[in-house]
Amino acid sequence: MESKRDQWGSKVGFILAAVGSAVGLGNIWRFPYLVYENGGGAFLVPYFFAIFTAGIPLLILEYGMGHKFRGSTPLAMARANKKWEWLGWWPSISAFFILGYYSMILSWAMKYFTLSFSKGWGNDPNTFFYDDFLRLTDSPFNFGGLIWPILIGIVLVWGISWFICYRGVKGGIEKLNKVLLPTLIAIMVIIVVRGVTLEGATLGLNKLFTPDWSKVMEPKVWIAAYGQVFYSLSLAMGIMMTYSSYLPKKTDINNSAFMTGFANCGFEFLCAIGVFAILGFMATSQGVPVEEVVSSGIGLAFIVFPKVFTVMGSWGTILGCLFFACLVFAGLTSCVSLVEAVASAIIDKTGWDRKKVVTGICITGLLVSGTFASGAGLYLLDIMDNFINCYGIVVVGLLEAIVIGWIIKPEVIRNHTNKTSYFRIGKWWDFTVKFITPAILAYMLISNFVTEIKTPYGGYNLPEIFAYGWSVIGLGIIGSLLISKKPWKNKAIESFDESEELKEEVV
């Protein structure tokens, strides 16, 4: 089984794929707003602190686990400690749910890319988006009819993901990222260069980066910084362990983690400059303060920016096409990494052929995603995304840190990564994994839960939250426990115990 495992063609290919997975929609539409909302330039203090005390240490942890135990997340966890195999399946199941709604957002972006050429959203992008395009119903339980333009886009997204993952790690995922990631960065550079030369751009940038030092003392600002670093690096999603398992045995793990962390961070800053320069222009052209045009998430991408592109004339058409192409490319690299995280886990467990597994996942995923191509799609996305991020991913990250920090022992992973890396990490990493990361993630989890109890998320009622929120978390846990009871094909765990890898450790 070991000899048949796919491998990256080069270290650059791995780094590009890891960065491609990390760079997603959150970098473009979430990070700029977080900086603005949480103290501007002052937010960079908790943000960089979070990168060094959670982002990079957890990347080293996940890269080290995948590389040392040569398997997808469930196999790596099972080889490290059989009792914790289920913890590897939970993020794989969550990844599948994320694909359901992520493919819908990509479908929107594809449609808006085509609309950019004629500014087909009209003079009222808000009404167009909610009423004409999404045909949003009045409740998450009212699905309305099937929305064909969205469904066609979802089919396209799954088709591309299938084509790339079907071709394997080196022939598919690596090639895709070598093309899409540099293209994505080039497009964002063009948007930024044009953005900062617009009238009023400095107004937006001043609003973004002017430090409000009083905010640094607020706990919620630190939670926001850790949350952003955690989510944007694709941690605890089953992706990074899987990707690192395809690396050759002699690979600089430590350096790769730093490179991935800083590349993702650099792209976030690039996006923030471009977004706020354009928002500054919008505020100036309308004669309103920047606060009135600032938005985050879906509202920024599909309502605020189309308004900007409408008033920009021919440059609006160009920037509109580039912006939505950016969303599509950033989303596709993340989508492919999620499909691979699920596929690799199933291939390792069952020994089935990659092509059959990828085909099965994409067909099943397409059927599940079809639910989102309805009038209730936005509600489903909103509730599921909140619960998977706030509970699923945070709990997996917390348990990963506890299991590796206190049961498997961090020095086991540190010694392994140091053996293959140009520069060694010291015992500070052990301390971070054992104490700092679990403490922060536990605090995030408790504060999310307390907020949820006080005020149910998004003003939804309890049946809606249980149907699309807590049920997804429950399915993740129950599903992972049930799958972990099944035996591994080809005795994957037993065969590894006698491998050269562990013999080296004993010596």
Side-chain angles (χ1 to χ4, degrees), residues 80-96:
N81 188 315
K82 183 71 182 81
K83 290 177 186 172
W84 290 94
E85 180 192 325
W86 69 273
L87 185 57
W89 284 106
W90 189 2
S92 306
I93 293 168
S94 293
F96 185 74

Side-chain angles (χ1 to χ4, degrees), residues 394-426:
V394 173
V395 173
V396 169
L398 173 63
L399 290 175
E400 265 184 18
I402 291 169
V403 170
I404 281 112
W406 296 95
I407 299 169
I408 296 165
K409 302 298 182 191
E411 58 268 20
V412 172
I413 305 300
R414 178 165 56 84
N415 291 341
H416 174 79
T417 65
N418 282 346
K419 256 191 334 191
T420 64
S421 301
Y422 292 121
F423 72 88
R424 300 168 68 83
I425 49 168

Side-chain angles (χ1 to χ4, degrees), residues 2-83:
E2 234 14 75
S3 57
K4 290 180 188 171
R5 191 158 194 85
D6 272 347
Q7 275 201 357
W8 299 107
S10 64
K11 183 182 163 186
V12 172
F14 162 68
I15 297 286
L16 285 173
V19 174
S21 172
V23 166
L25 303 175
N27 302 65
I28 299 169
W29 72 30
R30 190 169 183 265
F31 178 75
Y33 183 79
L34 271 182
V35 177
Y36 161 79
E37 184 89 319
N38 292 290
F43 179 72
L44 304 184
V45 174
Y47 177 72
F48 280 112
F49 194 82
I51 285 173
F52 285 108
T53 59
I56 289 168
L58 276 171
L59 272 177
I60 293 170
L61 183 153
E62 294 205 353
Y63 284 178
M65 280 288 291
H67 188 255
K68 178 179 172 57
F69 294 109
R70 316 301 297 165
S72 58
T73 308
L75 181 54
M77 292 303 294
R79 282 174 166 173
N81 188 315
K82 183 71 182 81
K83 290 177 186 172

Side-chain angles (χ1 to χ4, degrees), residues 207-443:
K207 205 72 192 169
L208 174 64
F209 289 117
T210 302
D212 177 0
W213 295 107
S214 65
K215 295 246 182 176
V216 176
M217 304 312 292
E218 294 178 16
K220 73 178 182 72
V221 171
W222 287 78
I223 290 180
Y226 274 90
Q228 177 63 18
V229 166
F230 196 69
Y231 307 136
S232 76
L233 285 174
S234 295
L235 295 167
M237 290 187 191
I239 296 167
M240 294 309 185
M241 275 194 215
T242 301
Y243 271 12
S244 62
S245 73
Y246 300 133
L247 283 165
K249 291 202 173 178
K250 300 280 185 195
T251 304
D252 188 343
I253 300 288
N254 297 340
N255 195 31
S256 298
F258 277 91
M259 286 169 72
T260 306
F262 288 132
N264 180 65
C265 170
F267 186 77
E268 288 193 323
F269 276 103
L270 193 64
C271 293
I273 292 167
V275 166
F276 267 80
I278 292 170
L279 291 176
F281 161 79
M282 179 74 168
T284 306
S285 65
Q286 290 188 345
V288 296
V290 175
E291 291 85 342
E292 285 191 26
V293 295
V294 171
S295 179
S296 173
I298 287 160
L300 174 76
F302 297 101
I303 298 166
V304 176
F305 266 35
K307 280 181 187 170
V308 180
F309 302 142
T310 300
V311 299
M312 281 179 79
S314 56
W315 260 108
T317 307
I318 296 165
L319 284 184
C321 294
L322 292 176
F323 176 75
F324 288 109
C326 239
L327 288 188
V328 172
F329 291 170
L332 276 176
T333 53
S334 299
C335 242
V336 164
S337 68
L338 289 162
V339 172
E340 183 59 26
V342 181
S344 181
I346 296 170
I347 293 164
D348 283 350
K349 185 78 173 180
T350 61
W352 295 342
D353 177 63
R354 161 179 284 275
K355 293 179 177 179
K356 286 179 184 170
V357 170
V358 169
T359 304
I361 289 168
C362 291
I363 291 170
T364 312
L366 177 57
L367 294 173
V368 171
S369 302
T371 320
F372 292 89
S374 67
L378 181 60
Y379 299 126
L380 272 61
L381 149 73
D382 191 25
I383 299 170
M384 284 173 72
D385 186 56
N386 175 69
F387 276 78
I388 288 172
N389 279 326
C390 290
Y391 302 105
I393 291 171
V394 173
V395 173
V396 169
L398 173 63
L399 290 175
E400 265 184 18
I402 291 169
V403 170
I404 281 112
W406 296 95
I407 299 169
I408 296 165
K409 302 298 182 191
E411 58 268 20
V412 172
I413 305 300
R414 178 165 56 84
N415 291 341
H416 174 79
T417 65
N418 282 346
K419 256 191 334 191
T420 64
S421 301
Y422 292 121
F423 72 88
R424 300 168 68 83
I425 49 168
K427 290 189 177 178
W428 63 269
W429 185 79
D430 300 21
F431 183 80
T432 302
V433 171
K434 286 175 88 165
F435 299 104
I436 297 176
T437 305
I440 288 155
L441 292 178
Y443 185 76

